[in-house]
């Protein structure tokens, strides 16, 4: 089969590789759609290490091609969505409700639920092997298209989890730093959970425009104004929840400074280097602040619930897909997405 293979830092491309086969408890899916994710850029740039020869990608939509022994209640040819996180469903972490930190049958393993495109071959290919298939194959309801569900696998699940982990309540004021794919989904998730005011912060006019279109109440351009002061003015003293969706020292610190006392900072960003905590913004540790982190929730029940939101027209994320490419043109897709040209937001890939 053809697949997008990581070769070395800043070297990747389409190669002919062996098609996967389903072992016990596994399934093979014929891919019909996936995307290019910001995490994929981290991989090809060498900012997140993976083994050479790995097939990249972690957002599969497709058709069941093969079922291994022990996988029941599915059929060949069935359309399915698979979350970017594929928990085993049996370990201590999974049974305690911490699926992203799946221990693969044991206890806990940090990031252990993220396997596709990380520790095993991923979704930017013609076929993909799905581990723990019984726990991860989510049938797609009739009437939903690939484009309507593909973004649920990662960015919607991750973004919504930022609002969930932050404990957003009815009537809360929420500020979300960065309105890229994850951050915008965090803003949408905050509205779903009942926030009365959602403020989106970015420095890219195209992203601010899309945030307005998707229902963010107030958008702030950090290049043009003092965001912390404006958030405190809008909220009468500080946000109840601040969501950080970029992964930089500046955005983390600004999110913390936007909070009211006893507020919650929900962190979705992927950080590198040293992250410092300013003691004044943290009230010297005595301000009852709460800082939480989260990784994309996965598993078939999570995907089913997200698809129900689409099916019942509570959300429509299809406007976030701005460009479409064939698998053969994956390098062009990466270049466009990585350089943020032509108003790109999310890129869909089809075999």
């Amino acid at each position: 089969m053809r697949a997008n293979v990581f070769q070395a830092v800043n070297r990747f491309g389409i190669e002919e590789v062996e098609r996967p086969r389903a072992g016990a408890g596994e399934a093979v899916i014929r891919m019909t759609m996936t995307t290019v994710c910001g995490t994929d850029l981290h991989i090809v740039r060498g900012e997140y290490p993976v083994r050479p020869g790995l097939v990249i990608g972690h957002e599969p939509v497709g058709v069941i091609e093969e079922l291994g022994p022990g996988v029941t209640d599915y059929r060949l040819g069935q359309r399915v969505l698979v979350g970017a996180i594929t928990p085993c469903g049996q370990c201590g972490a999974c049974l305690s409700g911490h699926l992203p930190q799946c221990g693969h049958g044991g206890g806990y393993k940090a990031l252990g639920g993220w396997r596709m495109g990380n520790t095993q071959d991923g979704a930017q290919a013609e076929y993909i092997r799905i581990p723990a298939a019984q726990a991860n194959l989510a049938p797609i309801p009739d009437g939903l298209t690939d484009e309507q569900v593909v973004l649920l696998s990662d960015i919607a699940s991750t973004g919504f989890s930022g609002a969930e982990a932050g404990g957003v309540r009815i009537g809360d004021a929420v500020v979300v730093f960065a309105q890229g794919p994850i951050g915008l989904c965090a803003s949408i998730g905050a509205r779903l959970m009942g926030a009365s005011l959602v403020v989106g912060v970015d420095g890219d006019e195209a992203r601010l425009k899309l945030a307005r279109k998707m229902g963010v109440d107030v958008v702030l351009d950090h290049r043009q104004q003092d965001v912390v002061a404006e958030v405190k003015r809008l909220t009468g003293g500080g946000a109840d929840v601040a969501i950080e969706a970029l992964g930089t020292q500046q955005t983390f610190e600004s999110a913390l400074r936007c909070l009211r006392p006893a507020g919650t900072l929900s962190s979705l960003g992927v950080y590198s280097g040293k992250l410092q905590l300013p003691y004044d913004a943290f009230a010297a540790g005595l301000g009852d602040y709460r800082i939480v982190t989260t990784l994309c929730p996965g598993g078939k029940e999570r995907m089913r619930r997200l698809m129900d939101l689409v099916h019942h027209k509570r959300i429509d994320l299809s406007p976030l897909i701005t460009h479409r490419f064939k698998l053969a043109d994956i390098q062009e897709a990466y270049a466009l997405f990585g350089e943020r040209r032509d108003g790109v937001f999310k890129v869909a890939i089809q075999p």
Side-chain angles (χ1 to χ4, degrees), residues 161-226:
S161 75
E164 292 168 299
V168 174
R169 300 179 298 175
I170 291 174
D172 272 354
V174 180
V175 58
V176 183
F177 280 83
Q179 293 298 287
I182 298 293
L184 181 51
C185 285
S187 297
I188 295 168
R191 291 197 64 187
L192 281 172
M193 295 189 68
S196 59
L197 175 67
V198 179
V199 180
V201 181
D202 209 289
D204 183 305
E205 184 53 42
R207 295 188 170 192
L208 292 171
K209 181 179 179 180
L210 184 56
R212 292 188 195 99
K213 178 181 176 180
M214 297 300 292
V216 177
D217 298 303
V218 179
V219 296
L220 301 178
D221 188 335
H222 64 75
R223 302 168 302 177
Q224 305 295 331
Q225 59 198 127
D226 183 336

Side-chain angles (χ1 to χ4, degrees), residues 66-221:
E66 183 182 347
L67 293 168
V71 183
T72 61
D73 299 322
Y74 295 95
R75 67 180 187 276
L76 301 183
Q78 189 172 17
R79 295 177 64 228
V80 291
L81 167 70
V82 180
I85 300 300
T86 50
C88 72
Q90 302 296 317
C91 67
C94 289
L95 294 174
S96 299
H98 302 132
L99 279 64
Q101 316 305 332
C102 172
H104 301 188
Y108 284 73
K109 180 178 175 57
L111 313 186
W114 176 29
R115 306 190 220 189
M116 299 179 297
N118 179 22
T119 58
Q120 73 168 59
D121 286 338
Q124 290 168 11
E126 293 179 305
Y127 296 88
I128 182 173
R129 177 175 58 88
I130 305 300
Q134 197 72 41
N136 291 295
L137 298 178
I140 299 173
D142 292 340
L144 294 188
T145 67
D146 287 359
E147 288 200 3
Q148 286 179 293
V149 302
V150 68
L151 299 185
L152 305 177
S153 176
D154 185 1
I155 70 162
S157 189
T158 300
F160 292 178
S161 75
E164 292 168 299
V168 174
R169 300 179 298 175
I170 291 174
D172 272 354
V174 180
V175 58
V176 183
F177 280 83
Q179 293 298 287
I182 298 293
L184 181 51
C185 285
S187 297
I188 295 168
R191 291 197 64 187
L192 281 172
M193 295 189 68
S196 59
L197 175 67
V198 179
V199 180
V201 181
D202 209 289
D204 183 305
E205 184 53 42
R207 295 188 170 192
L208 292 171
K209 181 179 179 180
L210 184 56
R212 292 188 195 99
K213 178 181 176 180
M214 297 300 292
V216 177
D217 298 303
V218 179
V219 296
L220 301 178
D221 188 335

